[in-house]
Amino acid sequence: MDDNPAVAVLDRTGLDALIRLLVSQGRTVVGPTVRDGAVVLAELTSADELPFGWGVELEAGHYRLRPREDGAAFAHSAGPQSWKTFLHPQREKLWSADRGPDGELTVRAEQAPPTSYAFLGVRPCDLRAIAIQDRVLSGGRFRDDGYAGRRTGALLIAAECTEPGSTCFCASMGSGPAADAGFDLALTEIVDGTGHRFLVRTGSDEGAALLADIPNQPADPETETAARTAVAGAADRMGRSVPPVDLRALMGASLDAERWDDVAQRCLTCGNCTMVCPTCFCTTTEDVTDLTGDHAERWQRWDSCFDLDFSYLHGGPVRSSARSRYRQWLTHKVGTWHDQFGSSGCVGCGRCIVWCPVGIDLTEEITALNEELQEEAGR
């Protein structure tokens, strides 16, 4: 890719032309739309399906749509889904087996039809999450071929964040609100006295080719300045933050903290946080048969470290208490993930805060653990 990426301006017509071009190329375009009282990710065929004029109201354990007067399409924070819904689906058949009349077994690996995805409106925090899942699921010795097949060739069109939610903390995790890498195209939405438009930057040769094939205008200094100002302003308006400490060291030094007892009294161990997290990747397998016993299937499905049987060994589960299971999740997410994959497993999207039924706040728990550690050190 050229070191000087192309920069242009799209209006709503140009955005629609981009979606229609991607569809005409045989891609499955997935982006945000309003459905069932939320901004969800679904297949799109035109820009009209984007959530123009809709924002969200977020708080711990709270999510509501709210109308916007400016008609912005991407002025909403992360919804209940992440892109792992498509790249690392909740349930996937691995193989099936049939026993013939002579008793001979025939085993067939499941070959899912190839899908060429184009993800539109990927937040910078979710760009980071996709990069993390790339390392976990296709970058090591234990490659997930299903994930790798869906990820190969997937086009990523980012939407930089200009209005963070009250549960967002990507700035303190270094994963936003600006898109700095990992995209084919990056959009920054501007709505001001000059009009409603999108500054677009190219991040790959494929992105540059797409931009050249749709109606666009050269980027003007006023639009570029407005885009930079909006993104920089978003970094200063994050609703949450984590302490500027070494989280890996903090987690390692807090294994016996009293705070774990406090959060255990509130945690339902429902696993919602792991389901909505864009980087959680754990799975289990299920073997099922029909009533005759002549047909069997193996399925892979999401699992959660909050499940009592997740750590089951001969004799029972290793982590039988809510305290131990919440501690496992948080210390892995922001601590030992570094040992496995070289980075934090948290991107600061805030989904785990919003979709926790009792409003447990990861940033609050980390802050409390840090304060407890500092108090112990001061005694």
Side-chain angles (χ1 to χ4, degrees):
M1 181 66 203
D2 195 322
D3 291 336
N4 297 305
V7 183
V9 175
L10 301 180
D11 57 14
R12 183 164 171 169
T13 300
L15 185 61
D16 186 64
L18 173 61
I19 294 173
R20 295 184 183 279
L21 174 60
L22 292 167
V23 172
S24 72
Q25 293 177 344
R27 290 188 178 271
T28 299
V29 181
V30 179
T33 191
V34 172
R35 185 176 299 170
D36 299 328
V39 176
V40 301
L41 301 176
E43 187 172 349
L44 306 177
T45 57
S46 77
D48 292 338
E49 297 168 284
L50 292 168
F52 287 99
W54 287 103
V56 293
E57 175 186 295
L58 305 177
E59 198 41 78
H62 176 87
Y63 179 100
R64 293 289 186 276
L65 284 177
R66 61 176 179 85
R68 298 179 57 91
E69 295 182 358
D70 61 5
F74 298 110
H76 54 85
S77 302
Q81 298 162 295
S82 67
W83 305 94
K84 81 173 183 182
T85 304
F86 300 90
L87 294 174
H88 182 46
Q90 187 172 8
R91 197 163 182 262
E92 181 180 7
K93 186 159 74 170
L94 301 179
W95 52 257
S96 61
D98 290 283
R99 181 166 54 198
D102 58 358
E104 184 177 353
L105 286 177
T106 302
V107 180
R108 293 176 299 279
E110 184 70 12
Q111 296 292 333
T115 302
S116 179
Y117 281 119
F119 294 155
L120 172 65
V122 184
R123 296 298 184 187
C125 58
D126 280 337
L127 282 176
R128 180 68 61 85
I130 291 172
I132 289 172
Q133 288 224 316
D134 286 350
R135 289 198 297 274
V136 173
L137 297 174
S138 61
R141 291 183 299 160
F142 305 105
R143 171 187 167 104
D144 184 318
D145 291 333
Y147 177 91
R150 288 180 290 270
R151 180 68 178 89
T152 300
L155 191 85
L156 304 183
I157 303 173
E160 292 193 302
C161 183
T162 58
E163 187 169 329
S166 64
T167 54
C168 294
F169 57 102
C170 67
S172 59
M173 299 305 295
S175 56
D180 55 8
F183 59 83
D184 295 285
L185 292 173
L187 307 176
T188 311
E189 186 173 28
I190 304 111
V191 185
D192 57 18
T194 305
H196 189 171
R197 59 211 187 277
F198 305 87
L199 183 75
V200 56
R201 294 179 288 130
T202 59
S204 70
D205 293 334
E206 189 170 11
L210 285 169
L211 182 60
D213 285 342
I214 59 176
N216 66 80
Q217 298 294 325
D220 57 280
E222 181 181 354
T223 297
E224 291 192 68
T225 299
R228 286 195 301 269
T229 301
V231 175
D236 296 330
R237 300 197 312 276
M238 290 282 147
R240 298 287 200 279
S241 65
V242 296
V245 298
D246 184 335
L247 294 179
R248 178 175 174 272
L250 173 62
M251 292 297 110
S254 301
L255 297 180
D256 296 319
E258 294 181 0
R259 183 67 183 189
W260 301 119
D261 293 323
D262 181 275
V263 71
Q265 293 177 5
R266 292 172 282 136
C267 180
L268 304 178
T269 66
C270 65
N272 264 20
C273 51
T274 60
M275 298 299 106
V276 298
C277 177
T279 65
C280 279
F281 59 87
C282 289
T283 58
T284 188
T285 54
E286 295 177 335
D287 291 334
V288 296
T289 63
D290 65 3
L291 293 177
T292 68
D294 292 330
H295 177 79
E297 296 175 351
R298 172 163 289 181
W299 289 77
Q300 175 179 279
R301 65 167 176 82
W302 289 353
D303 203 356
S304 171
C305 53
F306 283 94
D307 188 341
L308 183 61
D309 289 336
F310 182 83
S311 65
Y312 187 90
L313 297 176
H314 179 69
V318 173
R319 291 184 286 272
S320 59
S321 67
R323 181 186 191 276
S324 62
R325 299 204 289 280
Y326 187 88
R327 186 181 66 178
Q328 158 64 23
W329 175 71
L330 186 58
T331 56
H332 183 216
K333 183 62 60 178
V334 301
T336 55
W337 203 292
H338 288 272
D339 300 309
Q340 284 184 283
F341 308 114
S343 74
S344 171
C346 177
V347 297
C349 69
R351 288 182 177 95
C352 62
I353 303 172
V354 173
W355 298 99
C356 174
V358 295
I360 294 173
D361 184 336
L362 173 149
T363 66
E364 181 181 301
E365 299 309 314
I366 292 175
T367 300
L369 288 168
N370 184 54
E371 290 174 352
E372 182 176 337
L373 187 64
Q374 296 306 313
E375 289 175 4
E376 289 290 335
R379 290 176 184 172

